[in-house]
Amino acid sequence: MKRLITAIALIWMAAPALAMSDDIVKVKSAQDVAATMDALEAAVTGAGATVFARVDHAAGAASVDMALDPAQLLIFGNPKLGTPAIQDDALAGLYLPLRVLVYRDGAGQVWLAYEDPKAMLSGLGGVAPDAGYIAKMTGALGKLTGKASGM
């Protein structure tokens, strides 16, 4: 009985961490970080969205004499898609514009990662779970990262 209670307690304590990881969508890439990010940026601009910033985390680390595996973040969006979310709840502006991280993990695999829009916006009271823009954001992120992955 004591073992069962311990096992249940461990599962319960791990549950929040497991749920959080379910909110992050990861897409495997066939290319290195720079090529994947170039392809993502081209896909985003080709789709008519605006690239607001491209952040090179590894370059930032190198600027202070620290090492970091290659990792870049693309911040982009389409005001026609994001504005209705922010109109529904101003706090959506904390999550928008959208962001995709391209990084190389410890095993050398390159990934594109982003937060699932439904999970990202679900805690906001003014955003309905079935809001049309959530499905559009989800579809766009899937298409853009799929295209950039080279797979």
Side-chain angles (χ1 to χ4, degrees), residues 74-100:
L74 193 68
I75 302 170
F76 64 94
N78 180 335
K80 286 185 181 182
L81 189 57
T83 300
I86 297 170
Q87 287 173 330
D88 286 347
D89 194 315
L91 292 176
L94 289 169
Y95 305 103
L96 300 172
L98 296 171
R99 297 172 303 271
V100 174

Side-chain angles (χ1 to χ4, degrees), residues 70-131:
Q72 295 185 27
L73 179 74
L74 193 68
I75 302 170
F76 64 94
N78 180 335
K80 286 185 181 182
L81 189 57
T83 300
I86 297 170
Q87 287 173 330
D88 286 347
D89 194 315
L91 292 176
L94 289 169
Y95 305 103
L96 300 172
L98 296 171
R99 297 172 303 271
V100 174
L101 176 69
V102 178
Y103 70 99
R104 186 179 72 205
D105 67 15
Q109 177 60 55
V110 173
W111 298 92
L112 297 105
Y114 59 90
E115 191 169 4
D116 174 68
K118 186 171 186 175
M120 180 174 67
L121 299 172
S122 69
L124 303 179
V127 175
D130 60 349

Side-chain angles (χ1 to χ4, degrees), residues 5 8 22 24 28 32 43 45 50 58 61 78 121 124-126 129-130 134 140:
I5 292 171
I8 291 170
D22 290 343
I24 304 296
K28 189 182 280 193
D32 66 20
T45 57
T50 301
N78 180 335
L121 299 172
L124 303 179
D130 60 349
I134 292 176

